Amino acid sequence: MPGLLPRSADVVIVGAGAIGTSIAYHLARRGARDVVVLERDQVGAGSTSKAAGGIRVQFATRVEIEFSLRGIAFFQRFADEMGAACDFHQEGYLFMVTDEATLARFRTNVALQRSLGGDVRIIAPDDARALVPSLRVDDTIAAVWGPRDGYASPNDVVQAYAAQARARGVRIVEETEVTGFELEGDRVAAVRTPAGTVATRLVINAAGPWAGPVGRLAGLTLPVDPRRRHIFVTDAFDGIRHPLPLVTDCGSGFYCRSEQGAVLMSPGDIGAATEYEPLVDWSQLETAVEKAVRRIPALEHAQVRHAWAGLRPLTPDGRAILDWAPGLRGLFLAVGFCGHGFQHSPAVGETVAELLVDGRTALDISDLALGRFAPA
Ligand SMILES: Cc1cc2nc3c(=O)[nH]c(=O)nc-3n(C[C@H](O)[C@H](O)[C@H](O)COP(=O)(O)OP(=O)(O)OC[C@H]3O[C@@H](n4cnc5c(N)ncnc54)[C@H](O)[C@@H]3O)c2cc1C
């Protein structure tokens, strides 16, 4: 049910996914009292509820690795801080590498990750097989193992952010779409919705895959391009050893992990074009099974029980955008989180709250500036 729409707010956040609700929660924790989140559907209904929940430190830039490390620390203390469970499992991430160029990239990244305190190791194919006995490794040259990586429940996490934000006075208004901006000169003055207008001097675009359309309402072109990705989940399957860490086949883009005695798997993204409707295309199952059996032959005997598809808000370099909108005062962008917005949501919420409350951030977020892309 939509709530009552406030007529004004200090801060309006567009989108109640992991990013928007985490920002709301962290702002409220820092004492912000007049924060409104506008969500056109329900809390978590966008990409967040479609995520595989994966959490890893294998990123290529300092800020992303720091976000991951903060995220892991947050998920470890989640129950204490949030008063709810989030099904966090540290069962590891294992990347299977089949070519030298990819291995060289991993070597550089792993050195950076380790220098920042990440527990990541390059191991031999046989060591990977010791971790996952059902793996085929004869075509691999190495594996990359992050034993402290894992996964948590995106839905539990987003609902907890929302509950804790509400408990601190944040108003989250569902079924209320932002349909326009009102400007005063070069600054934001209000957002429009079918239920009325909310006057505000500060809007945060946290609309996930729909960040582009929301940006266009304010006259901006944002380099965020949603792509569809499927997840298939099998029946309970004992043809492999559980828990299966999150295994990614770097060559094919396939990945899988245990999900309560079953196997959750994805063939990677499909479609070269921007998509806004995450419909399930069952023809993708064949691709998923083909890729699965190539890496873990025993999966040939698993039965797929259900599937869903979601949108990953991609940017041209695979990194998010955390920055003020150019040429328009009062619009902040927390968009383009690609395939890692769930795991980075704790640190992003904390960082954006620091920026808005203190005027500066503990972590250097300049690598996530919009200006790294040429204007469209
Ligand atoms: C299949 C799949 C697997 C993934 N696996 C992982 C993973 O393992 N680990 C990981 O970290 N990430 C993963 N991701 C990525 C992750 O889901 C996203 O990066 C993250 O959920 C983005 O969160 P968000 O809050 O930015 O967007 P969303 O969760 O999409 O939230 C944006 C919200 O904005 C709302 N909205 C849009 N337009 C408007 C409007 N005009 N007015 C009001 N509200 C609006 C939407 O309804 C939506 O609820 C995966 C994604 C997919 C699709």
Side-chain angles (χ1 to χ4, degrees), residues 14-20 38-42 44-55 93 176-179 206-210 214 217 229-231 255 308 310-313 334 337-344:
V14 186
I19 297 296
L38 299 178
E39 165 56 52
R40 68 170 184 196
D41 194 331
Q42 306 284 328
S47 289
T48 297
S49 58
K50 309 298 178 0
I55 298 158
Y93 250 74
T176 302
E177 180 169 358
V178 171
T179 52
W210 302 274
V214 169
L217 296 175
R229 176 168 281 197
H230 285 72
I231 302 270
Y255 65 84
W308 67 84
L311 300 169
R312 299 193 323 142
F337 283 91
C338 305
H340 47 266
F342 162 65
Q343 63 198 283
H344 283 177

